[in-house]
């Protein structure tokens, strides 16, 4: 699940902080754009190399008159890897034939209909909950915000009075479908500008007469600078442990109805802790989909526990940013236990991962790739597959280098310390405020991720990178995440 406000805040930091690929760095002016300093002789088949990183990484550094402490105490052990290649990829243009194949697989023989648009009744129920709360209702911060209350009343006027008659739709790319009410919320609450165009590169449909599942697809169009994607899912809402933790911290920071919401969050966490669904069983079902679709280049990179809540109301509340309302209104005893399985590239046994880095103005080089990492996310519960999302489809262009060498670890350590400190400095702690703030690096891992391709920024390079997770205590509602290019220490932002 995505937290819209946090996502937009983080994205704004990245967009203001990251620059284009620099002229002089590890990706500069040499053969294929890679400096000779980072190109290494390829290893023989099965041969391994040991990375020059500390087995026990421990340090503590104070800054800002000792008000800020940045530290790490991690057992990294011996890191052995094979070749560390750099691979160029480009966006794949989803064809209509591929679209029809995917739709046929997930929809089967069910008819496809124009997407359902929420009627006034849906928004009327939200307004009633705002104006006439019940005794045990939890009023989320957004529901209690007068600006949001007025916005809901505005979209009520935009929504249709009655549900439209179901219209059968053909499986072909068409112009983008719009929902005036939801578009109005996205633009006015979250600042997401909805651009309409006349390109026929979209497909949206409800599946079956009951409309309990939906399909959405988009194909890459160079003019739009978008990405090809395909999504099928049953309508509903899901959470994982990170969602519970984020809302717990936000609740503490806001001080809003703490006891009531924490009681609900505890029920969610207990359910996740006691999850009985077999992870292996779910993986077999997810793997079977990739086998059926003959997707050979994607491997499981991550799996996590989730709770799935079926229902169109929960699905629609999520679409308009009312995740906190879902926490309060969904009954934890009625959820389905399951797992989210994330598939992406596996490069020499090292999984790929999307960067979620906080960017900064203070350091170069820094990178923002032109498109997000290709992933397939599949949700499986006890009753079966609930969701399949294939995001940012790509094709391999070439192998830029068969093997590379990493930047010195001292440089990586200095860079991550600086990045954390810059995040603190953005808050402008007053000089007379002696509050002590601590940042603990609680995880560091080697993954592959994207940076812009040298002299061809519409493509990406898949490169090795260091991923960091930083516990900022109550300074931030969720852990900070940073991604550094392992070849030159540059900051890699989120697309």
């Amino acid at each position: 699940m995505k937290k819209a406000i946090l996502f937009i805040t983080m994205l704004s930091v990245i967009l203001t902080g990251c620059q284009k690929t620099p002229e002089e760095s590890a990706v500069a002016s040499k053969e294929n754009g890679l400096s000779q300093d980072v190109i290494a002789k390829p290893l023989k088949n099965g041969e391994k190399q040991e990375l020059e990183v500390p087995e026990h990484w421990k340090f503590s550094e104070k800054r800002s008159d000792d008000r800020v402490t940045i530290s790490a105490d991690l057992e990294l052990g011996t890191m052995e890897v094979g070749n560390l290649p750099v691979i160029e990829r480009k966006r794949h243009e989803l064809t209509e034939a591929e679209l029809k194949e995917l739709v046929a697989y997930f929809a089967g023989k069910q008819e496809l209909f124009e997407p359902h648009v929420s009627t006034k009744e849906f928004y009327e129920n939200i307004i009633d909950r705002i104006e006439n709360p019940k005794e045990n209702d939890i009023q989320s911060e957004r529901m209690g915000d007068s600006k949001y209350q007025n916005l809901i009343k505005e979209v009520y006027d935009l929504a249709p009075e009655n549900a439209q008659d179901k219209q059968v739709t053909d499986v072909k790319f068409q112009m983008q479908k719009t929902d005036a009410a939801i578009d109005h919320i996205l633009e006015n609450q979250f600042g997401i500008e909805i651009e309409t165009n006349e390109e026929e590169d979209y497909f949206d449909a409800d599946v079956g007469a009951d409309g309990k599942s939906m399909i959405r697809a988009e194909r890459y169009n160079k003019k739009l600078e978008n990405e090809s994607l395909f999504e099928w899912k049953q309508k509903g809402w899901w959470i994982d442990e990170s969602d519970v933790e984020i809302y717990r911290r936000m609740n503490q920071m806001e001080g809003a109805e703490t006891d009531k919401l924490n009681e609900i969050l505890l029920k969610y966490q207990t359910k996740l802790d006691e999850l009985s669904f077999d992870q292996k069983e779910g993986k077999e079902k997810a793997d079977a989909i990739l086998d059926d679709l003959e997707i050979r280049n994607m491997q499981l990179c991550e799996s996590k526990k989730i709770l799935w809540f079926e229902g169109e109301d929960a699905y629609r509340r999520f679409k308009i940013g009312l995740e906190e309302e879902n926490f309060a209104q969904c009954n934890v005893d009625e959820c389905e236990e399951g797992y989210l399985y994330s598939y992406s590239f596996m490069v020499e046994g090292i999984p790929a991962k999307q960067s979620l880095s906080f960017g900064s103005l203070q350091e170069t080089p820094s990178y923002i790739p032109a498109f997000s990492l290709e992933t397939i996310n599949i949700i499986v519960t006890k009753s079966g597959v609930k969701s399949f999302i294939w995001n940012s489809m790509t094709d391999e262009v070439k192998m830029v280098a068969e093997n590379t060498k990493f930047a010195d670890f001292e440089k990586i350590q200095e860079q991550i310390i600086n990045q954390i400190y810059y995040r603190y400095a953005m808050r402008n702690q007053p000089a007379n405020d002696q509050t002590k703030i601590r940042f603990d690096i609680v995880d560091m891992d080697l993954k592959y991720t994207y940076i812009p391709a040298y002299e061809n920024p519409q493509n990406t390079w898949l490169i090795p990178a260091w991923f960091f997770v930083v516990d900022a205590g109550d300074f931030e509602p969720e852990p900070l995440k940073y991604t550094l290019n392992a070849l030159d220490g540059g900051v890699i932002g989120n697309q």
Side-chain angles (χ1 to χ4, degrees):
M1 186 184 73
K2 295 190 181 297
K3 282 61 69 176
I5 291 178
L6 295 176
F7 173 78
I8 292 165
T9 301
M10 182 173 68
L11 185 59
S12 67
V13 172
I14 292 167
L15 292 177
T16 57
C18 289
Q19 296 86 41
K20 295 180 180 179
T21 306
E23 293 183 0
E24 294 298 331
S25 72
V27 286
S29 68
K30 302 294 182 183
E31 175 107 17
N32 291 327
L34 279 176
S35 168
Q36 293 300 321
D37 293 338
V38 301
I39 295 177
K41 182 180 178 180
L43 302 175
K44 296 178 182 178
N45 188 31
E47 189 178 358
K48 297 289 184 181
Q49 57 181 323
E50 185 175 322
L51 299 180
E52 295 182 0
V53 298
E55 292 188 20
H56 184 190
W57 183 30
K58 185 175 183 178
F59 78 87
S60 182
E61 182 168 317
K62 294 182 181 295
R63 292 193 178 184
S64 191
D65 295 329
D66 293 345
R67 293 181 299 173
V68 178
T69 301
I70 301 170
S71 68
D73 188 358
L74 297 174
E75 291 291 344
L76 302 179
T78 301
M79 292 190 178
E80 288 190 338
V81 296
N83 284 313
L84 296 164
V86 173
I87 302 165
E88 185 168 337
R89 302 196 70 84
K90 67 177 182 180
R91 283 172 277 205
H92 172 76
E93 183 177 334
L94 181 65
T95 67
E96 206 155 84
E98 290 169 333
L99 172 65
K100 289 179 178 179
E101 181 182 347
L102 289 165
V103 170
Y105 181 82
F106 287 100
K109 295 182 179 180
Q110 297 180 85
E111 280 193 301
L112 302 171
F113 298 90
E114 294 287 334
H116 169 66
V117 176
S118 297
T119 64
K120 290 186 185 301
E121 182 182 5
F122 172 74
Y123 297 103
E124 189 175 26
N125 289 336
I126 297 175
I127 293 171
D128 180 64
R129 189 166 160 80
I130 291 172
E131 296 181 343
N132 303 295
K134 297 177 182 178
E135 183 178 350
N136 294 321
D137 279 355
I138 291 178
Q139 192 82 333
S140 66
E141 183 185 31
R142 188 164 295 148
M143 291 279 278
D145 177 57
S146 59
K147 179 183 175 182
Y148 193 82
Q149 292 173 0
N150 291 332
L151 184 60
I152 290 296
K153 293 175 182 177
E154 290 173 9
V155 299
Y156 171 84
D157 292 333
L158 294 172
E161 186 73 43
N162 300 306
Q164 61 191 19
D165 294 334
K166 289 184 176 295
Q167 300 291 323
V168 176
T169 188
D170 296 326
V171 182
K172 65 179 183 179
F173 286 110
Q174 306 167 38
M175 288 180 59
Q176 191 170 20
K177 304 293 191 301
T178 60
D179 183 329
I182 289 179
D183 289 353
H184 189 72
I185 291 174
L186 294 178
E187 289 179 351
N188 290 275
Q189 179 68 25
F190 304 119
I192 301 174
E193 186 175 351
I194 307 299
E195 296 183 6
T196 57
N197 60 72
E198 296 184 356
E199 302 295 326
E200 295 186 344
D201 292 297
Y202 307 92
F203 178 77
D204 289 278
D206 282 348
V207 180
D210 58 10
K212 289 185 177 180
S213 62
M214 50 80 66
I215 290 176
R216 180 173 70 97
E218 184 174 342
R219 68 177 166 191
Y220 167 60
N221 181 326
K222 188 175 182 179
K223 282 199 305 184
L224 301 177
E225 297 185 346
N226 60 339
E227 305 165 10
S228 290
L229 65 88
F230 177 88
E231 175 182 6
W232 167 88
K233 69 177 178 183
Q234 294 189 15
K235 293 178 181 177
W237 173 72
W238 61 272
I239 63 165
D240 61 27
E241 289 178 295
S242 65
D243 297 319
V244 174
E245 177 62 15
I246 287 169
Y247 281 105
R248 184 189 66 79
R249 290 196 183 196
M250 288 178 66
N251 189 43
Q252 288 179 338
M253 293 169 69
E254 295 160 3
E257 304 193 64
T258 301
D259 293 339
K260 288 183 181 179
L261 185 55
N262 277 346
E263 183 180 344
I264 293 175
L265 294 175
L266 179 60
K267 290 181 180 179
Y268 283 106
Q269 186 60 59
T270 301
K271 192 78 170 180
L272 287 163
D273 290 341
E274 298 174 353
L275 200 73
S276 61
F277 181 62
D278 183 43
Q279 183 181 15
K280 184 178 179 182
E281 177 187 344
K283 180 180 180 301
E284 289 173 353
K285 292 180 179 179
D287 286 345
I289 294 176
L290 270 64
D291 288 341
D292 291 344
L293 297 175
E294 299 183 351
I295 300 172
R296 307 298 185 198
N297 65 332
M298 309 284 276
Q299 297 184 50
L300 183 66
C301 292
E302 183 182 19
S303 61
K304 57 184 176 182
K305 301 174 182 178
I306 64 100
L307 301 178
W308 174 270
F309 297 84
E310 202 81 28
E312 185 152 341
D313 280 353
Y315 165 72
R316 296 198 171 277
R317 284 193 295 265
F318 170 71
K319 288 189 70 175
I320 62 172
L322 288 179
E323 300 95 318
E324 290 172 79
E325 280 296 292
N326 277 344
F327 269 103
Q329 293 195 56
C330 291
N331 186 345
V332 69
D333 295 323
E334 296 176 358
C335 72
E336 288 193 60
E337 302 174 359
Y339 279 87
L340 169 67
Y341 301 92
S342 294
Y343 295 78
S344 191
F345 307 112
M346 191 76 72
V347 183
E348 294 283 336
I350 301 172
K353 186 175 182 179
Q354 176 69 44
S355 171
L356 296 174
S357 190
F358 287 93
S360 131
L361 282 169
Q362 277 75 6
E363 293 288 342
T364 57
S366 53
Y367 311 88
I368 297 180
F371 51 90
S372 55
L373 184 75
E374 181 175 4
T375 55
I376 294 176
N377 290 321
I378 303 175
I379 290 178
V380 185
T381 69
K382 288 185 176 181
S383 65
V385 178
K386 298 297 182 183
S387 174
F388 173 95
I389 303 176
W390 190 352
N391 182 56
S392 190
M393 301 174 182
T394 63
D395 298 312
E396 183 171 332
V397 176
K398 64 180 179 180
M399 177 84 71
V400 179
E402 293 184 66
N403 194 16
T404 55
K405 293 182 288 189
F406 284 2
D408 290 340
F409 191 77
E410 290 79 6
K411 180 177 183 179
I412 299 298
Q413 177 172 308
E414 179 183 7
Q415 176 70 296
I416 188 61
I417 291 172
N418 287 341
Q419 290 302 309
I420 295 169
Y421 183 72
Y422 298 149
R423 180 65 180 174
Y424 155 78
M426 292 172 62
R427 294 289 186 91
N428 296 315
Q429 184 178 7
N432 61 354
D433 181 356
Q434 295 303 307
T435 302
K436 303 291 186 182
I437 299 173
R438 185 178 184 89
F439 297 88
D440 293 310
I441 302 172
V442 295
D443 190 45
M444 169 186 166
D445 205 0
L446 178 63
K447 308 286 187 184
Y448 263 76
T449 198
Y450 286 161
I451 64 170
Y454 178 71
E455 292 187 338
N456 198 13
Q458 74 272 18
N459 292 349
T460 60
W461 278 359
L462 194 56
I463 60 111
W466 293 112
F467 280 70
F468 298 89
V469 178
V470 182
D471 185 352
D474 292 335
F475 186 76
E476 296 280 353
E478 62 179 313
L480 302 176
K481 296 179 181 180
Y482 295 93
T483 308
L484 302 184
N485 185 336
L487 307 182
D488 67 5
V491 181
I492 303 173
N494 180 22
Q495 190 277 336

